[in-house]
């Protein structure tokens, strides 16, 4: 292995310096103290592989863009990606992910790794300002992760010195179940996010990549009358057979020839096995991308949770039987997600100033009950007025100068989730405004609409004013807040009937009639509903 200085000179001379700052020994020691040493480990931005060699004796995977650094990697390190911007981690399964990302892009790298990691633990080396990042906070929240700073240091005496002060984070992504660890992959926000973070085209010619040619072939066969599941099964079998043939060919090569070429047969076989597993995941994701009739009705967290479970359980062959079994699971679980996401979205708006107790609720809550912004322990049977103020989801984005005129990410995610919940309550918000459609200014009113099919007009659903102090002021239409209050009360068990809802919420019965039990539920006709098979 070349010295650090020699490698630095080479990568600079070849214009391949992508902010490689070798991880220091004290950082690596802090991480290794939390490992057994035999884990399969992926290093994102692996450099010359020194971190992989130090941290584990198990299977080693690397993502690295710089060609000179790739050449310096030991033969027992599997390269499973180059440009991190063009990779997805969803099909790269291992025990641990480690990354010392370029500090100019640390937020994007950290967010992507946390959201997509198929690993029990993630260790990140980040500038100490990571703690102020809404994007990283959101990613941690979406994954329901446990985060711990295990070391604090700097790079002043590193092989490539820098003044940056860093935190070493240990991020736990799996919950303990009866003493064992079981992956709990709750990934991140969706509609546009899903299209961005589940890419099928990785810009290379590997046999297990699904690019434009395959998409065109799928479209051609759909036009010809075949159903999507059958098409994907045929294409998967074709590509999987190519991999099997390649594996067999390697096994047939005389071992002495491979030795002369300094090729480790086991390493090649391991790489092919990883590609075979990736191929399965890629075809499953292609099927999942066609579930718009479900995914368009899911909030960010719900999509994350559903697709986390799906990707966790799709390391199997792509067959029609397996596909239909998974589609059935999707329908069965989608209805639970539709209900839970309404509860979660409604609960996000719970603040002292917004709460109105039910008619029969005589409990009195003092300021002490709400101390430290906590929810009173015995708070129940409440509703919201049509005007509310939110102080804990964020307001205008004032942290990043290039994002002026936008909401903070948590606020934007909440607003978009609210539109999704409204859609499931019968308000057609498809094609209507989302948080990113506005040029936000402090105190400026932004109106969100839905399409009223009977009147054939767009009508106001709610309006929002965002402020630099992190507050959002919301004003709901009368019918929307009525549905939210009624359905939340029904789903948490406070309202058992339309009559009880009318009485407790102090509303005319005719207003409650259209609200009670109005949240979307899918039918069991899952094959035709999802549009992935032909009608009989």
């Amino acid at each position: 292995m070349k010295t650090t200085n020699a490698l630095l000179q080479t990568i600079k001379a070849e214009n391949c310096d992508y902010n490689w700052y070798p991880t220091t020994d004290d950082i690596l020691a802090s991480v290794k103290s939390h490992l057994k040493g035999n884990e399969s480990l992926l290093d994102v931005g692996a450099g010359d592989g020194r971190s992989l060699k130090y941290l584990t004796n198990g299977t080693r995977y690397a993502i690295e863009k710089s060609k000179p650094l790739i050449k310096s990697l030991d033969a027992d390190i599997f390269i499973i990606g180059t440009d991190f911007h063009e990779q997805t981690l969803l099909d790269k399964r291992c025990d641990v992910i480690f990354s010392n990302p370029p500090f100019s892009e640390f937020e994007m790298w950290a967010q992507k790794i946390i959201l997509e990691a198929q690993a029990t633990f993630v260790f990140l080396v980040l500038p100490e300002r990571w703690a102020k990042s809404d994007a990283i906070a959101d990613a941690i929240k979406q994954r329901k992760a446990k985060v711990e700073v295990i070391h604090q240091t700097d790079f002043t005496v590193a092989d490539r010195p820098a003044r940056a002060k860093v935190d070493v984070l240990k991020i736990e992504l799996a919950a303990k179940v009866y003493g064992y660890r079981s992956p709990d992959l709750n990934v991140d926000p969706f509609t546009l996010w899903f299209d961005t973070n589940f890419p099928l085209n990785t810009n290379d010619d590997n046999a297990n990549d699904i690019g434009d040619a395959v998409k065109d072939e799928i479209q051609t066969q759909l036009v010809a009358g075949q159903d999507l599941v059958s098409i994907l099964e045929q294409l998967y079998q074709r590509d999987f057979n190519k991999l099997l043939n390649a594996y067999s060919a390697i096994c047939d090569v005389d071992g002495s020839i491979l030795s002369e070429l300094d090729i480790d047969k086991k390493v090649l076989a391991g790489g092919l096995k990883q590609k075979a597993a990736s191929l399965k995941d890629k075809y499953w994701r292609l099927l999942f991308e066609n579930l718009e009739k479900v995914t368009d009705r899911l909030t960010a967290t719900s999509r994350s949770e559903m697709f986390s479970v799906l990707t966790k359980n799709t390391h199997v062959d792509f067959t029609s039987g397996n596909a239909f079994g998974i589609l059935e699971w999707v329908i069965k679980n989608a209805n639970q997600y539709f209900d839970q996401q309404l509860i979660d979205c409604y609960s996000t708006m719970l603040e002292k100033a917004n709460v109105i107790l039910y008619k029969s609720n005589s409990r009195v809550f003092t300021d002490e009950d709400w101390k430290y912004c906590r929810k009173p322990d015995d708070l129940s049977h409440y509703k919201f007025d049509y005007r509310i103020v939110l102080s804990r989801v964020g307001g205008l984005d004032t942290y990043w100068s290039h994002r002026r005129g936008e909401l903070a990410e948590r606020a934007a995610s909440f607003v978009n989730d609210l539109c999704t919940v409204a859609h499931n309550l019968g308000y057609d918000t498809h094609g209507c405004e989302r948080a990113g459609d506005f040029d936000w200014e402090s105190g400026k009113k932004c109106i969100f609409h839905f399409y009223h099919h009977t009147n054939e007009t767009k009508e106001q659903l709610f309006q929002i004013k965002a402020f630099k102090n992190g507050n959002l002021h919301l004003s709901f239409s009368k019918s929307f807040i009525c549905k939210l209050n009624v359905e939340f009360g029904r789903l948490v068990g406070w309202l058992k009937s339309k009559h009880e809802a009318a009485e407790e919420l102090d509303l005319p019965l005719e207003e409650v009639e259209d609200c009670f039990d109005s949240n979307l539920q899918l039918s069991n006709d899952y094959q035709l509903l999802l549009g992935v098979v032909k009608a009989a």
Side-chain angles (χ1 to χ4, degrees):
M1 182 182 292
K2 291 184 179 180
T3 65
T4 301
N5 287 336
L7 274 173
L8 281 173
Q9 291 176 10
T10 301
I11 62 178
K12 289 180 179 179
E14 296 185 23
N15 197 28
C16 292
D17 182 12
Y18 306 113
N19 292 313
W20 175 52
Y21 284 82
T23 308
T24 61
D25 289 342
D26 66 318
I27 291 176
L28 292 175
S30 70
V31 174
K32 191 171 184 176
S33 67
H34 291 265
L35 301 176
K36 296 179 180 178
N38 60 351
E39 295 91 342
S40 59
L41 195 148
L42 166 62
D43 188 350
V44 182
D48 60 358
R50 67 181 68 185
S51 297
L52 281 166
K53 299 290 288 185
Y54 184 95
L55 292 175
T56 185
N57 292 317
T59 307
R60 302 178 177 112
Y61 301 109
I63 293 177
E64 177 52 52
K65 184 177 180 179
S66 177
K67 291 182 179 179
L69 293 176
I70 291 174
K71 290 179 181 178
S72 71
L73 293 174
D74 286 356
D76 64 352
I77 295 176
F78 303 140
I79 298 293
I80 59 174
T82 52
D83 190 340
F84 184 51
H85 294 271
E86 298 176 357
Q87 304 299 316
T88 174
L89 301 181
L90 293 169
D91 58 2
K92 296 168 178 59
R93 304 188 179 204
C94 54
D95 298 321
V96 178
I97 292 178
F98 171 81
S99 184
N100 175 13
F103 290 173
S104 60
E105 297 182 280
F106 82 91
E107 186 177 46
M108 185 282 288
W109 280 52
Q111 183 186 34
K112 182 177 174 67
I113 290 171
I114 294 168
L115 292 176
E116 296 184 0
Q118 292 259 27
T120 303
F121 295 99
V122 170
F123 292 87
L124 299 176
V125 182
L126 302 179
E128 59 184 5
R129 64 182 183 276
W130 73 270
K132 298 180 180 179
S133 168
D134 284 343
I136 295 176
D138 284 343
I140 291 170
K141 178 180 179 182
Q142 296 296 339
R143 290 302 299 268
K144 300 179 181 177
K146 179 182 177 182
V147 182
E148 178 185 359
V149 177
I150 61 172
H151 189 54
Q152 293 181 308
T153 185
D154 56 44
F155 280 73
T156 54
V157 293
D159 286 350
R160 187 179 185 180
R163 291 180 296 176
K165 294 183 178 180
V166 298
D167 290 343
V168 182
L169 304 188
K170 174 187 176 184
I171 303 172
E172 186 173 346
L173 300 176
K176 286 185 178 180
V177 179
Y178 301 112
Y180 298 93
R181 294 198 175 276
S182 174
D184 181 20
L185 305 178
N186 299 317
V187 286
D188 183 59
F190 229 69
T191 306
L192 178 60
W193 182 91
F194 180 68
D195 295 334
T196 303
N197 291 274
F198 284 77
L200 296 175
N201 183 5
T202 56
N203 296 325
D204 60 40
D205 296 323
N206 291 335
N208 62 328
D209 290 323
I210 302 174
D212 291 337
V214 174
K215 293 180 182 179
D216 292 341
E217 190 171 356
I218 292 171
Q219 187 59 40
T220 299
Q221 294 189 43
L222 284 173
V223 172
Q226 279 195 276
D227 63 87
L228 180 64
V229 168
S230 297
I231 295 169
L232 292 178
E233 182 179 27
Q234 294 168 14
L235 295 176
Y236 167 75
Q237 288 297 334
R238 180 194 69 184
D239 290 347
F240 191 68
N241 286 335
K242 288 181 181 179
L243 280 177
L244 289 180
N245 291 336
Y247 180 74
S248 298
I250 290 177
C251 291
D252 290 339
V253 175
D254 187 271
S256 61
I257 296 177
L258 294 178
S259 297
E260 290 177 7
L261 297 174
D262 196 25
I263 296 175
D264 188 325
K265 192 173 180 179
K266 291 182 179 180
V267 171
L268 288 175
L272 282 174
K273 289 179 181 179
Q274 179 80 3
K275 290 178 182 294
S278 297
L279 177 64
K280 298 173 185 179
D281 288 342
K282 289 176 185 292
Y283 271 94
W284 284 113
R285 288 203 312 279
L286 187 53
L287 174 64
F288 301 157
E289 280 194 333
N290 285 271
L291 306 185
E292 296 94 344
K293 292 182 180 179
V294 173
T295 59
D296 283 351
R297 300 299 190 112
L298 295 174
T299 62
T301 301
S302 296
R303 293 178 182 219
S304 300
E305 292 177 351
M306 172 174 281
F307 280 87
S308 294
V309 175
L310 287 172
T311 53
K312 179 180 67 177
N313 290 288
T314 55
H315 236 14
V316 297
D317 287 322
F318 191 100
T319 65
S320 296
N322 289 341
F324 293 146
I326 286 176
L327 292 176
E328 186 171 3
W329 180 93
V330 168
I331 293 299
K332 289 179 179 178
N333 286 272
N335 290 329
Q336 299 179 30
Y337 284 119
F338 295 154
D339 288 345
Q340 187 59 48
Q341 66 192 20
L342 186 149
I343 294 173
D344 292 342
C345 189
Y346 192 94
S347 299
T348 299
M349 298 185 284
L350 178 59
E351 298 188 25
K352 178 184 177 183
N354 302 333
V355 169
I356 300 174
L357 300 181
Y358 279 13
K359 199 172 182 180
S360 63
N361 190 348
S362 59
R363 176 75 164 86
V364 176
F365 294 95
T366 65
D367 290 341
E368 186 67 22
D369 294 316
W370 291 90
K371 193 174 181 180
Y372 307 121
C373 298
R374 69 189 180 195
K375 170 188 171 183
D377 294 335
D378 54 348
L379 177 64
S380 67
H381 296 73
Y382 59 84
K383 64 178 182 178
F384 297 143
D385 199 357
Y386 76 98
R387 289 183 177 176
I388 64 172
V389 177
L390 302 181
S391 61
R392 295 198 294 272
V393 300
L396 288 177
D397 191 323
T398 57
Y399 186 73
W400 298 104
S401 59
H402 66 280
R403 293 189 57 198
R404 287 174 181 165
E406 297 182 28
L407 289 181
E409 290 191 18
R410 279 181 288 183
S413 180
F414 165 75
V415 171
N416 292 337
D417 287 350
L418 193 59
C419 292
T420 300
V421 169
H423 198 179
N424 293 345
L425 288 173
Y427 300 95
D428 187 357
T429 61
H430 183 73
C432 295
E433 302 87 356
R434 292 297 187 268
D437 295 330
F438 295 96
D439 184 14
W440 294 86
E441 298 177 12
S442 184
K444 176 183 175 181
K445 182 191 303 181
C446 295
I447 300 177
F448 292 75
H449 297 85
F450 71 97
Y451 185 76
H452 195 296
H453 288 269
T454 302
N455 298 338
E456 296 185 348
T457 58
K458 279 191 174 182
E459 298 188 5
Q460 181 172 319
L461 182 64
F462 60 90
Q463 65 180 42
I464 300 180
K465 294 180 182 180
F467 296 88
K468 293 181 180 180
N469 64 358
N471 287 351
L472 291 182
H473 291 197
L474 283 80
S475 178
F476 296 99
S477 70
K478 184 178 180 181
S479 64
F480 185 25
I481 194 61
C482 180
K483 283 192 175 183
L484 283 172
N485 284 326
V486 169
E487 283 298 85
F488 178 78
R490 178 183 69 84
L491 291 172
V492 298
W494 298 343
L495 303 174
K496 306 297 184 183
S497 68
K498 297 176 182 178
H499 290 278
E500 184 177 14
E503 176 65 23
E504 288 284 20
L505 301 179
D506 198 19
L507 293 170
L509 182 59
E510 55 269 22
E511 289 187 20
V512 175
E513 289 280 351
D514 293 334
C515 300
F516 199 86
D517 205 16
S518 60
N519 201 35
L520 176 67
Q521 293 286 282
L522 299 179
S523 70
N524 291 325
D525 191 9
Y526 64 92
Q527 298 178 11
L528 298 179
L529 176 69
L530 298 177
V532 295
V533 297
K534 293 187 296 185

